[in-house]
Amino acid sequence: MRLFFTALLFLSASAFATTESAVTGDSGQVRLPMPGRTVTAAYFTLHNSSAQDQVLVGATTPAFARAELHQHSHKDGMMRMEQVEQIVITAGNSIALAPGGLHLMLFEPVSSLSIGQSIDVVLQFANGQQLTLSLPVVAMPKR
């Protein structure tokens, strides 16, 4: 009987372990849109602690009407930005969404934003899991 309860406890613990997200995020920020603009970007780093690739397929946020996965690329000697369908975080690795590379485009803020405000962004993965990041609004860097 003791073996039965030990096995049951192990199976229960395994079930809880599989519901935890394999991906975590940090070092995030949302840039305050430039005056008169309704588009900005969010940046963050994702860490995949699992033994399997994780695939980011979308994002939502109550602070913006729309969020899209994007990347910058060089084509024909020009830097271009384009929407991507997914971002793969390989097993045991991290990937940075950063200026000049992969990033999250945010369109049409639903209300005024201010520096220091936190915005929740919900990331959706191909396996059905979600990860919510709370990202601070920061000033657009001066050029």
Side-chain angles (χ1 to χ4, degrees), residues 106-121:
L106 302 171
F107 300 88
E108 303 169 28
V110 297
S111 62
S112 296
L113 301 172
S114 58
I115 294 172
Q117 173 184 0
S118 287
I119 295 188
D120 285 342
V121 174

Side-chain angles (χ1 to χ4, degrees), residues 23-37:
V23 179
T24 58
D26 61 28
S27 305
Q29 62 177 256
V30 172
R31 290 190 173 167
L32 185 68
M34 293 171 50
R37 304 293 299 262

Side-chain angles (χ1 to χ4, degrees), residues 13-54:
S14 297
F16 285 116
T18 60
T19 61
E20 291 180 19
S21 178
V23 179
T24 58
D26 61 28
S27 305
Q29 62 177 256
V30 172
R31 290 190 173 167
L32 185 68
M34 293 171 50
R37 304 293 299 262
T38 60
V39 177
T40 192
Y43 306 107
F44 44 87
T45 300
L46 295 174
H47 308 280
N48 179 1
S49 62
S50 77
Q52 297 158 346
D53 292 354
Q54 301 296 318

Side-chain angles (χ1 to χ4, degrees), residues 11-132:
L11 290 173
S12 296
S14 297
F16 285 116
T18 60
T19 61
E20 291 180 19
S21 178
V23 179
T24 58
D26 61 28
S27 305
Q29 62 177 256
V30 172
R31 290 190 173 167
L32 185 68
M34 293 171 50
R37 304 293 299 262
T38 60
V39 177
T40 192
Y43 306 107
F44 44 87
T45 300
L46 295 174
H47 308 280
N48 179 1
S49 62
S50 77
Q52 297 158 346
D53 292 354
Q54 301 296 318
V55 182
L56 177 63
V57 294
T60 59
T61 174
F64 288 85
R66 191 169 86 246
E68 296 177 356
L69 305 174
H70 278 239
Q71 72 176 358
H72 280 105
S73 61
H74 282 280
K75 289 186 181 175
D76 302 324
M78 301 273 301
M79 186 70 131
R80 298 175 192 258
M81 184 175 55
E82 57 195 2
Q83 186 175 3
V84 295
E85 296 296 318
Q86 62 185 23
I87 296 173
V88 177
I89 307 101
T90 56
N93 288 304
S94 298
I95 192 163
L97 280 70
L102 294 166
H103 57 281
L104 183 64
M105 288 297 300
L106 302 171
F107 300 88
E108 303 169 28
V110 297
S111 62
S112 296
L113 301 172
S114 58
I115 294 172
Q117 173 184 0
S118 287
I119 295 188
D120 285 342
V121 174
V122 180
L123 304 177
Q124 288 102 25
F125 294 88
N127 64 4
Q129 290 188 345
Q130 295 184 339
L131 173 65
T132 300

